[in-house]
Amino acid sequence: MTTVSEASEKKPARGLAEGGAYQKLLAFASLIMLLIGFSIASPNFMQTSNMIAILQATSVNGVLAIAATLVIITGGIDLSVGTLMTFCAVIAGVVLTYLGMPLLLGVIAAIGAGALCGLISGTFVAKMKIPPFIATLGMMLILKGLSLVISGTRPIYFNDTPGFDLISRGSLIGEVFPALPIPNGVLILFIMAGVAAYILGRTVLGRYAFALGSNEEAVRLSGVNTDMWKMRIYALAGGICGIGGILIASRLNSAQPALGLGYELEAIAAVVIGGTSLSGGRGTILGTLIGALIMAVLTNGLRVLSVAQEWQTVVTGVIIILAVYADMVRRGKTG
Amino acid sequence: MFTRRFLMGALSAVALMGPASVAHAADELYVPLVSKGFQHQFWQAVKQGAEQAATEMGVRITFEGPDNETMVDRQIDMLAAALANKPAALGFAALDSQAAIPLLRQAHKAGIPVIAFDSGVDSDIPLSTATTDNVAAASLAADKMAELIGGKGKVAVVAHDQTSRTGIDRRDGFVNRIKAEYPGIEVVTVQYGQGDHLKSTEVTKAILTANPDLAGIFGTNEGSAIGVVNGVQELGTAKDLVIIGYDSGKAQKDAIRNGLMAGAITQNPVGIGYETVKAAVMATKGETVPALIDTGFYYYDASNMDEPKISAVLYD
Amino acid sequence: MKQLVEMGGIDKFFPGVHALKGVQFDLEPGEVHALMGENGAGKSTLMKILSGIYPRDGGTLKIAGQDANPTSPSDAQDLGIGIIHQELSLMNDLTAAQNIFIGREPRKSFGRLDEAALNTQTAEIFASMNLALDPRALVGSLTIAKQQMIEIAKALSFKSKVLIMDEPTAALNDAEIAELFVIIRRLKAEGVGIVYISHKMDELKQIADRVTVMRDGEYVGTVAAADTPISQIIAMMVGREVKEEPLNVPDLGDAEVSLQVSGLTRGKDIQDVSFSVQKGEILGFAGLMGAGRTEVARAIFGADPKDAGEIRVHGKSVAIKTPTDAVKAGIGYLSEDRKHFGLATGMNVRDNVALASMDLFTGTGGALDEAQMESTAKSYIAQLGIRTPSDVQEVRLLSGGNQQKVVIAKWLLRDCDILIFDEPTRGIDVGAKSEIYKLLEELASEGKTIIVISSELPEIMRLSHRIAVMCEGRLTGILPGGKSTTQEDIMYLATQREAAMQVTGTVQ
C-alpha cells in the first residue's frame, strides 16, 4: 500500500471550511457596515419605522430571490419569477374578488398556480431540453400577457376580502411585542427562508439541487431520475413565487397586472450578492437573504440621505459588481 | 478587504453625491415629492417647477419616482423612506391610491400635511390636489381634431396606458366627446403603447396599415405622440394625417413647427410642481389651501407656441 | 554540450504547503528526459515554473546558459519553451489551423484574416510531422489522439527548443503511441529537448534517455533509462518496492450467469454484440480507441439508446431505457471520465457515496438522515481505504485513486452486483493502481460481476479472467485470461477490420 501524500490533501480542506464561514461573515459584515454607515450619515436612518420599512421593502424581492436561488443552484436560471409573482397575484384576485371564495382558497390557488407554472417551466427545461434562459424568458412573457388578459388589464382590488391586506401589512409580532410592529410580510419572508434553507440543506430535493448544479451527467449516470427532480425544483420555486404574489397583492391590497417585469433581475442580483454561483452547485439561502437586505438597505439609505435618484441606480450597480468581484477574489485565493 | 472596499465604495459614492443634503441646516423646511415617474421630460418639468418654488420659499425638496408607472410597490418604498426623514410636508402623486393608504394614514397621524399632484390620490387625507383636468383637456383635443378634419372621417387613439387615471381620463375624454358631439367622426380603434416611443411607433404603423383612410390620430402623452409622428414618418404614406399630441418636449415641439403634427394639448407641469410645493408650505404654516388647484391646460400649435403664455409652460 | 535547461534548488510555497523543496532538473538538447513521480509529487508544479505559469520562490533557472525568469506562458514561449498540457486546451469549434495559430493569425490589411496562409502554414507543420490531417478539420470532430497531435503541432509552431509533454499518451492507443514516438524521435534528432511526464513504465524504456524521479516535492534522483530496472524506478517513486502479484484465474465452474447481453446493436458503433459474464468473474474489454467498448457499456447501462438487443440480468430479461432502470436491475457504471460523469466534484465524499441511494436516507417529508449518511460514508472509507481527511472533504480535492474508490463506494452502497469499470485507473498513479486492482479482485471474489474496459493491455492482462476484444463496433473474439493469452493475440483481434477479415496475417 502506498502512502499518498495525506498532508497535501488535508490542507485545502481546512482552507475551504474557513473560506465558507469567512464569506458568510463578510456578507453579513458588509450589511452591518452599511447600516452603521447610514446611521452615522443620517440621524433619521436608524429608527424603528425605517428599519421596518427596509424589511418590508425586502420581503417581496427576498421571497423571489429565494425562488431564484433554488433554480440557480441547479445550474439553471429563472427569469419568470417577477411576472409569475404577478400572475399568481392576479389568480388570487380572480379567486377572491371575482369568484368571492374564502381567503384560504385564494392563497392556495395562488401558490398552486405558481407551482404549476414552475412545473411547466421545469418540463420545458428537463423534458424538452430547452435552455433554462430561453424557457423561462418565454414563460416570463407568457405570464405577463396572461396576467393582463385574465385581469382585463385592470388592477383587481381585494376590498371585499376582509383580512387579505393583513397577510402582509398586519403584524402578529406587533400584537405580542407592541414596540416591534414587524409586518407579517417580513415574518413570512423569514419563515420561507427557514423552510428553503431546510429543504436545501436537509432534504433529498436540496441535495439533488446541488448535485445537478455540480455535475448533472454524473447524477444521471448514478441512476437518478434527473428530469423529475429538476421539474420538482422548478415547481417548488414557482410555488414560492406564488407566495411572493400573495405578499405583494396583500401589500398593495390589489393585484397590479402590469407589474413584475424587471423584478427577476433584482432577485437575481440579490442571489449573486449573496454569493450563489450563477454556474450552479454553490449557494446559500442565508446569503441570498443578506443579499436582498443589502440591496434594500442601500436603496433606502441613499434615499434617506437624499442622494439624487440617478446616482442611486449607479451606486447599486457598482455595489453588485464589487460584491461579485470580492467573491471571485476570495474564491481565487482559497480555491 | 471585501468589507472595507464594499463600504468605502458605498460611502464614498454617497459622500460625493450627497454633500448638499447632509450639509443642510436642520431648521429648514423639508418637503419630499414622491412622483409617478422620474426620467420622462414631463416629470423633470414638474421637478423644475417644484425646485423653483423651493428656492423662492426657502425650503428644501427632494423629487423621486419609480422607473416606470407600473412599479406600485417601489413607489411605496420611496414614500416610506421619505416619511423616515420626518418631513414638514409631503407631495405625492399616487400610482395606486389604495396601496398607499396605510402610509398616508401614518403621515396624517404624524401631522404631516399631504398635497397630491398630477392625477391625485383617492383619499380624503390630502389637503389639496394640484392637477390638470384631463377629461376637459382631452375633450379640447377632440374639438380641435374635429375642426381640423372637417367634422367627418375616421380617427384613432394611441394611448399610453389602460390602467392609470390619466390614461383612462384622456382616452375617455377624447372618445366620449367625439361620440357626443361629432356624429360624422368614427373612432376606429384605441391602442396602447405604454408611453414608450418605440412601442407607440409600432402601434401607429399597425393602425395605419389596417386603416389606410385614417384622417387623424390622437396621442395621449409625450411618448405616444412622438411614437405616432415616428410611425407616420416611417410609413411615409399618410402625409395629410392630422396628429394631435399631448404634453411637450423638444421632439414634439419640433414636429409641430415642421407641420408634422397639427398641435398638442399642454398641461402645465412646471405649474404643477410649483403649486404643489407652494401649497405644502402654506399648509405647514397653518394657512388654508384650496382642495383643488387647477393648474390649467392649453392647446398649442405652430401659430401660438411662441407666445409667452404658452412657451412658459412648454418644456424641452 | 550546453544544457537547454538548468534548474537548481527550486523552492515553491503555496499557502500552507511547501510544494517544492530545493528541486533540481536539467535538460540537454536532443534528449528525452522523463520526469516521474506519483500524483502530488510536484512534477506539474516544477514544469509550471519552467513554463512561466507560476513564479518560483527560490532557486536558479537557466535556459540555454542564460539566467531566465519567465513570468508568463508567452514569456516562456519566447524563450523557446512549449508545453502540452495533460488536459487539452483546444477550442473545439475552431479548425485545427485556427487553433494552432490562435492569437497570432496571419493577417491581411485592415485586420482581415488570411485563412489561406493560415492553412498553408499549418499544412507545412503537419507535413514536417508526417501527419495526414486536414488543417480545416474542426477540432471537436477529431479523436483525442489527433487533438494531441494538434497540440504538439501548436507547440512546434513556436519553434520551441524545449517541449514539455504532460502524460501525452494517457488517451492514446498503442498504434497512436507508436506514431507519437516517431514524432518524438524526429524532434530529438533536430536537437529539441523533451521533458516527458508519464506514469507508464514501459514507455520510458522505449523513449526516454534519462529519468528524474520526484517524491513529495523533493528531488529523489536521476538515472539512465536504459540500464535501470523498472522496479528500481518504482521503488524510487513510492519509497519502497511494489510487488506485481500474479493473476490467479479462479475456476468458476457453473456459477450463475449474472449478465447476458445478446444482439446489442446501435448504428455503426455497436454491431450485434453478444456476451455473458458469470458471478465472480472479471471480464476485460480490450480494443483500440473507438472500437465501441464504452458505447457498449453505456448502451447496457441505458445512458445511450440502443437499436436492438436483449439484456438478461440473473436470467431475467430486463428493459433498460434509462440509467435509473439499470440501477434498479443492479448494474452500476463507473465512467472513464470521473470528473464529468462520475462525481459531483463540488460536493463532499459523503454526498457522493450517497448520490445513487438517497432513498435509503430519506425520512418523511424528504428529510435526509445525515447521521446515517455519515456513518455509511465512514464505513466505506474504512472498508475501501479511501484516504480523505474526513467524510465531508470535497471530492475534487482527493487524488484520482481515492476519487475512483468514492465512485466504487457509491455503487456498492446501491447494492449493484454488476459493475462496469471504464478505464478504472486512468490518471491514477502507480501505487494506487495496484490498490484498485486488488479491490476489483476482492469484489469479484465476494461474488460481484465485474466488467473492466481498458486501453492498457498490461492492465487487461493483469486483471481479466476472460478477455473480450472489440474492433470497429464488433466483438471480434473472447480469449481466456492468464498466461495462455499474449498481447499479440489480443492485438490481432483488435485490428481485425471487416475488410481485412479474410486476410490471414500476423500482427506484430
Side-chain angles (χ1 to χ4, degrees):
Chain A
M1 291 285 136
T2 58
T3 50
V4 178
S5 48
E6 279 181 47
S8 67
E9 282 178 8
K10 269 179 194 161
K11 267 161 194 150
R14 210 176 300 143
L16 193 88
E18 279 165 11
Y22 189 53
Q23 184 206 359
K24 271 178 207 160
L25 211 67
L26 271 180
F28 194 65
S30 313
L31 178 60
I32 300 291
M33 292 295 229
L34 276 178
L35 288 171
I36 293 173
F38 281 127
S39 304
I40 295 168
S42 166
N44 292 330
F45 179 75
M46 188 55 75
Q47 46 178 327
T48 316
S49 65
N50 195 46
M51 288 303 108
I52 287 173
I54 289 173
L55 286 172
Q56 195 149 25
T58 315
S59 62
V60 170
N61 187 36
V63 168
L64 295 186
I66 288 170
T69 306
L70 294 176
V71 173
I72 288 172
I73 283 175
T74 68
I77 189 99
D78 194 343
L79 296 179
S80 67
V81 292
T83 55
L84 178 54
M85 164 194 83
T86 303
F87 180 74
C88 296
V90 169
I91 293 292
V94 168
V95 171
L96 294 176
T97 303
Y98 290 179
L99 304 178
M101 305 276 221
L103 181 61
L104 187 65
L105 269 182
V107 173
I108 292 171
I111 297 173
L116 183 67
C117 293
L119 188 68
I120 293 170
S121 294
T123 311
F124 290 157
V125 173
K127 291 286 182 202
M128 294 162 69
K129 311 288 176 211
I130 300 172
F133 189 95
I134 310 292
T136 59
L137 180 73
M139 206 61 189
M140 168 175 107
L141 297 172
I142 291 170
L143 291 170
K144 180 176 166 58
L146 283 182
S147 301
L148 289 167
V149 171
I150 293 174
S151 65
T153 69
R154 284 184 307 275
I156 306 174
Y157 292 96
F158 292 96
N159 294 334
D160 305 330
T161 310
F164 185 80
D165 63 331
L166 295 180
I167 294 175
S168 179
R169 288 175 182 168
S171 177
L172 291 175
I173 299 177
E175 281 172 25
V176 187
F177 306 104
L180 211 62
I182 292 173
N184 293 339
V186 178
L187 190 63
I188 291 171
L189 167 66
F190 283 101
I191 293 171
M192 285 316 300
V195 170
Y198 177 81
I199 290 173
L200 271 182
R202 291 272 173 268
T203 68
V204 197
L205 187 66
R207 199 59 49 96
Y208 281 148
F210 282 108
L212 283 171
S214 180
N215 191 343
E216 185 177 336
E217 189 60 14
V219 180
R220 190 174 81 93
L221 291 181
S222 296
V224 175
N225 190 341
T226 48
D227 289 356
M228 182 193 74
W229 288 103
K230 210 187 268 180
M231 283 157 66
R232 284 189 187 175
I233 289 161
Y234 277 87
L236 175 65
I240 294 174
C241 291
I243 293 171
I246 294 289
L247 282 183
I248 196 164
S250 161
R251 186 167 177 214
L252 303 176
N253 201 27
S254 59
Q256 302 281 341
L259 200 76
L261 220 51
Y263 286 52
E264 67 287 341
L265 294 182
E266 293 196 23
I268 292 168
V271 175
V272 167
I273 292 177
T276 294
S277 160
L278 275 186
S279 50
R282 198 178 281 274
T284 60
I285 294 293
L286 181 62
T288 296
L289 200 58
I290 292 172
L293 280 168
I294 285 177
M295 285 188 67
V297 165
L298 202 63
T299 322
N300 176 283
L302 293 174
R303 274 176 195 150
V304 170
L305 288 187
S306 309
V307 172
Q309 192 175 350
E310 303 88 314
W311 286 104
Q312 293 179 11
T313 324
V314 175
V315 174
T316 313
V318 168
I319 294 295
I320 290 174
I321 289 172
L322 280 182
V324 176
Y325 174 66
D327 196 37
M328 291 295 166
V329 169
R330 182 198 63 79
R331 213 172 287 165
K333 280 187 179 159
T334 49
Chain B
M1 187 194 69
F2 179 33
T3 5
R4 200 185 302 151
R5 274 200 196 174
F6 196 72
L7 190 71
M8 273 172 49
L11 290 189
S12 61
V14 172
L16 276 173
M17 292 168 280
S21 62
V22 179
H24 271 295
D27 53 352
E28 204 171 29
L29 283 184
Y30 169 55
V31 181
L33 272 67
V34 176
S35 122
K36 290 162 70 171
F38 179 74
Q39 28 201 354
H40 288 88
Q41 291 305 312
F42 180 84
W43 297 113
Q44 287 295 325
V46 174
K47 185 182 174 192
Q48 190 194 326
E51 277 166 351
Q52 197 184 322
T55 318
E56 279 175 24
M57 293 166 208
V59 298
R60 182 165 70 90
I61 64 151
T62 54
F63 189 94
E64 278 193 294
D67 289 343
N68 70 55
E69 300 196 0
T70 61
M71 295 182 157
V72 186
D73 62 323
R74 298 301 147 91
Q75 192 190 36
I76 289 172
D77 291 339
M78 288 174 176
L79 196 58
L83 287 176
N85 264 345
K86 304 194 169 55
L90 177 74
F92 183 50
L95 284 174
D96 187 296
S97 303
Q98 294 216 17
I101 279 173
L103 280 173
L104 291 178
R105 283 209 195 104
Q106 192 187 320
H108 188 66
K109 243 193 271 171
I112 300 167
V114 178
I115 308 297
F117 64 97
D118 191 49
S119 60
V121 179
D122 291 336
S123 156
D124 51 3
I125 292 171
L127 298 175
S128 174
T129 303
T131 185
T132 309
D133 186 341
N134 277 300
V135 177
S139 303
L140 177 59
D143 291 342
K144 291 288 176 185
M145 175 69 80
E147 183 188 322
L148 290 167
I149 63 173
K152 63 179 197 305
K154 291 179 181 173
V155 297
V157 178
V158 174
H160 58 281
D161 186 47
Q162 60 264 66
T163 54
S164 77
R165 198 68 251 158
T166 57
I168 294 165
D169 282 353
R170 289 177 200 172
R171 178 193 67 199
D172 292 352
F174 183 87
V175 173
N176 293 343
R177 181 74 171 187
I178 295 277
K179 268 189 200 150
E181 300 288 330
Y182 306 102
I185 302 175
E186 185 198 353
V187 181
V188 288
T189 181
V190 180
Q191 299 271 337
Y192 303 90
Q194 270 125 55
D196 179 294
H197 297 185
L198 195 63
K199 278 186 188 148
S200 303
T201 304
E202 305 300 347
V203 161
T204 303
K205 284 161 81 174
I207 293 176
L208 285 172
T209 311
N211 306 281
D213 54 344
L214 209 64
I217 301 182
F218 174 48
T220 64
N221 76 351
E222 186 187 342
S224 310
I226 293 167
V228 171
V229 172
N230 286 348
V232 170
Q233 267 183 315
E234 283 182 18
L235 220 55
T237 50
K239 293 260 183 285
D240 43 0
L241 190 82
V242 175
I243 303 169
I244 292 181
Y246 211 105
D247 296 336
S248 45
K250 183 153 189 348
Q252 200 163 192
K253 280 158 77 178
D254 288 348
I256 290 172
R257 267 187 231 285
N258 299 340
L260 285 166
M261 193 185 262
I265 299 288
T266 176
Q267 309 182 67
N268 184 355
V270 180
I272 292 175
Y274 187 91
E275 293 296 337
T276 306
V277 174
K278 189 178 153 199
V281 172
M282 284 166 69
T284 57
K285 292 180 182 155
E287 297 169 25
T288 35
V289 286
L292 185 76
I293 306 166
D294 185 353
T295 51
F297 58 86
Y298 308 97
Y299 177 80
Y300 68 102
D301 56 24
S303 69
N304 71 347
M305 63 192 295
D306 293 320
E307 287 173 20
K309 184 183 78 172
I310 300 288
S311 66
V313 298
L314 297 183
Y315 55 88
D316 272 327
Chain C
M1 198 189 279
K2 203 202 250 171
Q3 289 186 318
L4 277 176
V5 176
E6 221 180 325
M7 301 175 92
I10 300 285
D11 272 305
K12 178 70 196 170
F13 296 90
F14 291 119
V17 184
H18 193 170
L20 293 179
K21 302 163 196 164
V23 175
Q24 61 183 75
F25 186 80
D26 63 88
L27 183 68
E28 284 168 8
E31 95 165 325
V32 175
H33 191 158
L35 186 56
M36 307 284 296
E38 294 196 295
N39 287 342
K43 299 167 304 206
S44 295
T45 308
L46 185 67
M47 288 303 115
K48 281 180 177 164
I49 287 173
L50 178 57
S51 56
I53 296 168
Y54 292 153
R56 62 181 189 273
D57 295 328
T60 56
L61 168 57
K62 283 185 181 175
I63 291 169
Q66 301 281 313
D67 276 326
N69 198 9
T71 53
S72 70
S74 66
D75 243 15
Q77 272 166 7
D78 294 343
L79 290 165
I81 297 171
I83 186 162
I84 296 160
H85 292 283
Q86 187 179 352
E87 291 182 4
L88 299 177
S89 43
L90 295 171
M91 287 132 281
N92 283 339
D93 297 319
L94 300 187
T95 66
Q98 285 165 352
N99 264 286
I100 288 171
F101 283 97
I102 189 83
R104 52 205 172 100
E105 297 83 355
R107 288 179 195 197
K108 299 195 272 192
S109 52
F110 304 114
R112 289 174 301 143
L113 291 172
D114 190 347
E115 284 288 328
L118 182 77
N119 290 327
T120 323
Q121 290 177 30
T122 307
E124 282 165 19
I125 298 171
F126 284 170
S128 77
M129 290 168 65
N130 201 14
L131 183 63
L133 194 61
D134 182 1
R136 285 175 293 265
L138 272 189
V139 162
S141 67
L142 300 174
T143 60
I144 303 281
K146 287 276 169 12
Q147 293 184 11
Q148 190 105 43
M149 300 295 174
I150 291 171
E151 283 271 20
I152 294 171
K154 186 173 171 184
L156 291 179
S157 73
F158 285 102
K159 315 246 178 298
S160 303
K161 298 305 286 174
V162 175
L163 203 53
I164 304 165
M165 298 182 155
D166 193 353
E167 298 221 37
T169 58
L172 304 189
N173 63 38
D174 289 0
E176 290 163 336
I177 290 172
E179 230 175 281
L180 176 68
F181 285 178
V182 169
I183 289 170
I184 291 179
R185 290 201 183 93
R186 186 170 305 147
L187 294 173
K188 248 176 86 164
E190 285 166 15
V192 175
I194 291 162
V195 183
Y196 192 92
I197 300 176
S198 175
H199 285 128
K200 296 184 185 168
M201 294 295 158
D202 51 329
E203 288 175 5
L204 296 186
K205 287 284 178 189
Q206 288 183 51
I207 197 77
D209 300 304
R210 286 193 297 162
V211 180
T212 289
V213 176
M214 290 178 69
R215 186 171 70 232
D216 292 339
E218 284 177 86
Y219 172 80
V220 177
T222 303
V223 294
D227 42 59
T228 311
I230 284 180
S231 61
Q232 189 191 330
I233 295 174
I234 293 178
M236 286 168 78
M237 282 167 64
V238 301
R240 68 201 139 66
E241 296 259 353
V242 176
K243 267 186 279 173
E244 261 307 288
E245 297 192 14
L247 172 64
N248 184 14
V249 180
D251 181 12
L252 293 168
D254 54 356
E256 178 205 5
V257 171
S258 43
L259 177 70
Q260 185 167 14
V261 174
S262 38
L264 190 67
T265 299
R266 199 192 71 221
K268 284 189 87 73
D269 295 337
I270 310 170
Q271 296 169 29
D272 192 22
V273 169
S274 306
F275 64 92
S276 62
V277 205
Q278 280 174 291
K279 194 171 148 84
E281 185 180 31
I282 300 178
L283 176 68
F285 260 82
L288 302 176
M289 294 279 278
R293 295 164 299 161
T294 296
E295 286 75 7
V296 166
R298 287 180 62 95
I300 294 172
F301 189 62
D304 295 327
K306 55 178 182 285
D307 297 340
E310 190 191 25
I311 294 161
R312 300 177 85 89
V313 176
H314 302 301
K316 266 183 250 150
S317 178
V318 286
I320 295 174
K321 291 208 174 63
T322 65
T324 315
D325 299 334
V327 170
K328 267 190 206 134
I331 304 175
Y333 172 64
L334 291 87
S335 165
E336 57 183 329
D337 190 344
R338 287 184 297 275
K339 276 189 193 137
H340 285 119
F341 302 132
L343 292 164
T345 44
M347 302 181 83
N348 60 35
V349 174
R350 186 194 297 177
D351 289 335
N352 271 287
V353 169
L355 196 56
S357 331
M358 282 293 184
D359 47 336
L360 292 182
F361 306 105
T362 309
T364 44
L368 285 177
D369 186 348
E370 287 281 349
Q372 185 69 31
M373 280 170 72
E374 182 183 351
S375 67
T376 306
K378 282 187 169 158
S379 78
Y380 278 109
I381 289 170
Q383 185 191 333
L384 303 181
I386 303 173
R387 265 180 296 279
T388 171
S390 81
D391 65 314
V392 289
Q393 172 80 315
E394 280 189 46
V395 290
R396 69 187 167 90
L397 300 170
L398 299 185
S399 69
N402 285 308
Q403 287 184 349
Q404 186 67 286
K405 290 182 187 172
V406 171
V407 184
I408 295 173
K410 174 174 85 178
W411 291 118
L412 292 181
L413 172 61
R414 193 64 184 78
D415 209 18
C416 287
D417 51 4
I418 301 167
L419 295 171
I420 307 173
F421 291 84
D422 198 349
E423 304 287 357
T425 62
R426 172 165 297 170
I428 292 176
D429 52 47
V430 177
K433 260 186 189 177
S434 62
E435 261 188 81
I436 296 284
Y437 295 158
K438 254 196 198 142
L439 189 57
L440 295 190
E441 282 171 343
E442 276 167 26
L443 290 172
S445 66
E446 285 165 16
K448 307 275 184 212
T449 305
I450 311 276
I451 294 174
V452 174
I453 299 169
S454 176
S455 295
E456 289 178 46
L457 282 183
E459 178 164 295
I460 287 283
M461 308 200 39
R462 159 77 182 76
L463 277 173
S464 313
H465 301 163
R466 279 190 303 149
I467 302 165
V469 189
M470 287 190 70
C471 178
E472 295 183 341
R474 290 166 298 112
L475 190 65
T476 45
I478 297 183
L479 301 166
K483 290 212 166 55
S484 53
T485 299
T486 64
Q487 295 207 14
E488 284 71 22
D489 296 336
I490 298 174
M491 283 311 292
Y492 171 71
L493 287 174
T495 52
Q496 209 173 35
R497 295 163 166 264
E498 218 152 5
M501 263 185 62
Q502 289 83 0
V503 184
T504 46
T506 48
V507 177
Q508 290 291 329

